[in-house]
Amino acid sequence: PYLHNQEGGVVAYRTFLQPDPERPYTIVAVVAIDLTKTNLRFVLGLEEPSKPGGPHGWGVIPSEDKQPGKLLAAFNGGFIAEHGGYGAMADGITALAGRAGLATLAIYKDESVRIGEWGNDFYTDGDYRAWRQNALMIVHNGEINEKVYTGTEAEWGANLDGATVTMRSSIGISQDNKVLYYFAGPSLSMPVLADAMVASGAYNGILMDINPTHAHFTAIRVEDGELTPEALYPEEMDLWVDRYLRQWDQDFFYVVVKE
């Protein structure tokens, strides 16, 4: 048990996997969030993603959601605009237009969440509250994308030294769209991340941001009536732990208790 509502009921679980036999030190954290008891929100960052002169977000959680007992967790979004130009929209503001063939997480106005491919599973005229694209589908309808094994840093990104084995994060969803999964871990290759996602129950899945500075998840605890962030990885995610409780430059997601 990892996240709880005000009544003490469990709304999310956490575990850690060792999915790489060649690198037994590789750990993947998995957070499984019950979407029947929570709602997912998406925030456009103050600076990212956006294009020069284009619209952008404000990078803050609205005050009505940033309340003890309501706000449960927050985690990173996708790549910045220069690293792919992936589309993003929140609350009627389209920072970057959607592009066909890309993996997309969509939040509908009825609060449901879906992950799929833009132009195949999603289209521009959907009844969306928000959506975010990032790279290609990692897992699509239960099958791992072949590009996971053959793609390069152009498809999946790399660290500053060009290495594709790095801290990575991703989001998956169960076949019935009732469980949202967040995955993150250091020293991850794409095949190992994909295996961990499928093993955990992700039927569709999308890559999110990578590298230690950007891949970040915090549970939001309440101490003496105040919101307090708690990093998923206390050591690897110790930089700007409170980033999502203040104005942040990049886009991110957060989780609230369903009313």
Side-chain angles (χ1 to χ4, degrees):
Y2 185 49
L3 303 176
H4 302 79
N5 58 24
Q6 285 185 294
E7 292 73 37
V10 180
V11 299
Y13 291 85
R14 176 179 64 172
T15 194
F16 294 89
L17 307 178
Q18 289 177 279
D20 191 344
E22 296 182 4
R23 292 189 298 273
Y25 52 83
T26 296
I27 303 293
V28 180
V30 187
V31 180
I33 302 166
D34 186 347
L35 291 176
T36 70
K37 299 176 182 178
T38 61
N39 289 325
L40 183 67
R41 300 280 188 262
F42 177 62
V43 175
L44 294 172
L46 184 62
E47 297 180 3
E48 291 286 350
S50 66
K51 57 186 177 181
H56 59 81
W58 295 106
V60 294
I61 297 174
S63 58
E64 61 266 25
D65 286 340
K66 197 163 61 175
Q67 300 295 328
K70 185 172 185 180
L71 180 61
L72 299 176
F75 54 88
N76 62 276
F79 292 176
I80 63 175
E82 69 174 291
H83 296 155
Y86 302 125
M89 185 277 282
D91 299 319
I93 299 174
T94 300
L96 292 171
R99 293 166 47 199
L102 296 181
T104 306
L105 184 153
I107 305 171
Y108 288 81
K109 291 181 179 178
D110 67 0
E111 306 288 3
S112 62
V113 180
R114 302 287 186 273
I115 295 175
E117 186 177 86
W118 193 268
N120 182 15
D121 304 303
F122 303 122
Y123 302 92
T124 56
D125 58 351
D127 194 22
Y128 306 118
R129 181 185 183 120
W131 48 263
R132 178 58 150 113
Q133 298 185 317
N134 207 65
L136 305 174
M137 293 291 290
I138 299 177
V139 183
H140 198 191
N141 298 330
E143 300 292 331
I144 295 176
N145 185 351
E146 291 185 2
K147 279 282 191 178
V148 164
Y149 306 102
T150 61
T152 65
E153 63 180 89
E155 285 88 10
W156 306 114
N159 66 20
L160 294 176
D161 296 324
T164 57
V165 176
T166 185
M167 168 75 84
R168 292 184 176 275
S169 67
S170 64
I171 304 175
I173 200 164
S174 60
Q175 186 172 4
D176 61 6
N177 297 306
K178 292 182 179 180
V179 181
L180 188 79
Y181 300 93
Y182 176 88
F183 302 88
S187 191
L188 284 177
S189 66
M190 285 302 303
V192 168
L193 176 58
D195 286 344
M197 292 172 69
V198 172
S200 300
Y203 190 71
N204 287 295
I206 178 176
L207 181 68
M208 281 292 141
D209 218 344
I210 66 174
N211 297 326
T213 303
H214 304 300
H216 193 86
F217 185 109
T218 51
I220 307 299
R221 309 301 188 190
V222 180
E223 295 183 3
D224 298 325
E226 299 293 327
L227 297 175
T228 303
E230 176 189 281
L232 178 62
Y233 284 96
E235 296 181 359
E236 287 85 354
M237 295 180 177
D238 62 341
L239 189 64
W240 307 310
V241 178
D242 66 343
R243 62 181 69 182
Y244 303 130
L245 292 179
R246 51 190 175 90
Q247 192 169 49
W248 189 240
D249 291 344
Q250 294 178 232
D251 60 295
F252 62 94
F253 295 88
Y254 66 94
V255 181
V256 294
V257 172
K258 187 184 292 289
E259 295 180 358

